[in-house]
Amino acid sequence: MERVRACVVGATGYAGVEVCRLVLAHPALELTMATDRKEAGTRLDAVYPSLAGACEIVLSLPEPDAIAAAADVAFLAVPHTASLALTPELLARGVNVIDLSADYRLHDPAVYEAWYATPHTSPELLSQTVYGLPELFRAGVAELAARRAAGEAVLVAVPGCYPTATALAAAPALASGLATGDLVIADAISGVSGAGRGCNARTHFCHANESVEAYGVAKHRHTPEIEQTLSEVAGREMSVVFTPHLAPLTRGLLSTVYLEAAPGVTAEDVQAAYERAYADEPLVTALPAGSMPATSSVFGTARAQVGVALDDRRRRTIVASCAIDNLGKGAAAQAVQCANIVLGLPETTGLLAPAPLV
Ligand SMILES: NC(=O)C1=CN([C@@H]2O[C@H](COP(=O)(O)OP(=O)(O)OC[C@H]3O[C@@H](n4cnc5c(N)ncnc54)[C@H](OP(=O)(O)O)[C@@H]3O)[C@@H](O)[C@H]2O)C=CC1
Ligand SMILES: CC(=O)N[C@@H](CCC(=O)OP(=O)(O)O)C(=O)O
């Protein structure tokens, strides 16, 4: 198999090191470069001893010329705004970009600027960017494979962890027309690695351990991203009431959504719609009727599990829940899934390892 050279930018971050781990085990990708500004000159396995024996790479600075010399594809596991600085430079040098940050996810630069409180410095790239949630937008990602084959350097905006789980939970109800109205309520819970490697008062062990709390209430920056996806799936303008919670888990994310059922819809209709939607999806499982997903079932994997029920005794509400690993399907694994499609590889290459059982 031809090997494609890959660079991970932000390789010492939690999402970045998970991309490194997946690339190191991938049969068609070769990790040729990993960057970090503070740790440049240090071996990656000195920062993450769990990689000892698997990787001898020395971290370097994220300089576009060096990345273009070393790699055909760059995974940007950097905070938002850092990608705005790097992406145009890399595309101009012919490097394909798989961006894990939020910088190119929102189609409308004005919405980005309103929620991220910073100017979008390359809005001209947004119309060429594809939102990398293959289960909902596979054709768009696949188009990038054709554009890359024709010689273009392409850009995938990999979704956020909360938007991934929330969209996978709500999409079958909206796409099938079984949910009515324009409102989705989403309560989501994330493990602490979702906040990255840095520590603050909210994520400090002494505060986050043994405690669960809502944060970003009524103002979290994933709100417009979720609304954008759900509106596209539903074919009408949707709004979301999105409440994220931080829970004492290292990794794992669960999003539970509530939608109004259309008149006459039965529990069997809803279950059948979810089973149909994910029947051919290798990385998403619709659980049997009566089952709801657990984050432990997808820990360390590229997979998502979705469960659904209809509360038809009172307000006729569809309740659906999706579990992912925030660093897996919520970040690094989804990035590799998108890279596989862009590179013309089977979509699940390097991604099918099951979760440890305990
Ligand atoms: N953690 C998660 O579960 C998820 C994360 N993501 C996204 O992935 C990206 C990375 O997140 P995460 O791994 O959690 O973050 P971390 O804070 O753990 O890591 C960020 C990494 O980026 C590097 N970095 C920071 N600023 C710059 C810069 N200006 N230029 C180049 N490199 C930079 C950091 O190293 P240094 O500063 O030394 O260069 C570090 O290696 C973010 O956009 C995040 O939103 C998406 C989904 C889920
Ligand atoms: C637990 C936690 O703090 N999670 C992060 C989101 C995780 C993420 O990575 O989102 P982006 O990819 O959009 O940056 C937060 O709420 O900001």
Side-chain angles (χ1 to χ4, degrees), residues 15 78-80 99-103 105 116 158-163 189-196 200 202-203 215-216 220-222 225 242 244-247 252-253 326-327 330-331:
V78 295
H80 52 269
D99 181 20
L100 283 78
S101 88
D103 283 341
R105 293 178 192 154
Y116 287 84
V158 182
C161 44
Y162 286 122
I189 303 168
S190 173
V192 183
S193 63
N200 59 37
R202 183 170 63 85
T203 59
Y215 68 99
H220 194 280
R221 65 196 169 79
H222 283 164
E225 187 183 332
F242 168 58
H245 300 72
L246 192 69
L253 189 147
N326 54 292
L327 296 174

Side-chain angles (χ1 to χ4, degrees), residues 10 12-15 36-38 77-79 82 100-101 193-194 196-197 326 330:
T12 62
Y14 282 164
D36 186 274
R37 295 169 310 163
K38 292 196 259 331
V78 295
L100 283 78
S101 88
S193 63
R197 190 169 176 228
N326 54 292

Side-chain angles (χ1 to χ4, degrees), residues 14-15 18-19 21-22 100 158-166 168 189-195 249-255 283-284 293-306 322-335 337 351 353-356:
Y14 282 164
E18 187 70 358
V19 178
R21 193 176 72 83
L22 292 171
L100 283 78
V158 182
C161 44
Y162 286 122
T164 295
T166 305
L168 291 174
I189 303 168
S190 173
V192 183
S193 63
L249 306 168
T250 303
R251 46 202 286 177
L253 189 147
L254 186 82
S255 184
L283 297 178
V284 184
T295 57
S296 57
S297 305
V298 292
F299 181 96
T301 77
R303 297 171 191 278
Q305 294 193 356
V306 181
C322 175
I324 58 172
D325 184 318
N326 54 292
L327 296 174
K329 181 66 176 160
Q334 185 142 260
Q337 182 184 5
L351 296 176

Side-chain angles (χ1 to χ4, degrees), residues 35-216:
T35 85
D36 186 274
R37 295 169 310 163
K38 292 196 259 331
E39 311 266 10
T42 309
R43 275 174 61 133
L44 179 58
D45 65 355
V47 183
Y48 284 99
S50 59
L51 293 179
C55 166
E56 298 185 350
I57 212 151
V58 175
L59 293 159
S60 37
L61 290 170
E63 286 164 351
D65 284 335
I67 296 171
D72 310 303
V73 58
F75 293 91
L76 303 191
V78 295
H80 52 269
T81 68
S83 171
L84 282 183
L86 276 167
T87 295
E89 299 293 330
L90 294 174
L91 292 174
R93 288 166 173 76
V95 180
N96 298 286
V97 175
I98 312 289
D99 181 20
L100 283 78
S101 88
D103 283 341
Y104 295 92
R105 293 178 192 154
L106 295 166
H107 305 326
D108 182 346
V111 176
Y112 177 88
E113 293 180 6
W115 285 83
Y116 287 84
T118 188
H120 200 296
T121 49
S122 42
E124 71 285 356
L125 291 179
L126 292 172
S127 61
Q128 311 159 31
T129 308
V130 170
Y131 189 71
L133 186 42
E135 288 75 12
L136 304 184
F137 304 111
R138 184 167 281 114
V141 190
E143 250 174 53
L144 293 185
R147 280 167 42 195
R148 175 185 167 268
E152 191 183 332
V154 299
L155 168 60
V156 180
V158 182
C161 44
Y162 286 122
T164 295
T166 305
L168 291 174
L174 291 170
S176 61
L178 298 180
T180 188
D182 62 0
L183 177 68
V184 176
I185 295 172
D187 285 329
I189 303 168
S190 173
V192 183
S193 63
R197 190 169 176 228
C199 196
N200 59 37
R202 183 170 63 85
T203 59
H204 191 292
F205 180 86
C206 298
H207 179 79
N209 189 36
E210 307 291 353
S211 179
V212 180
E213 68 178 330
Y215 68 99

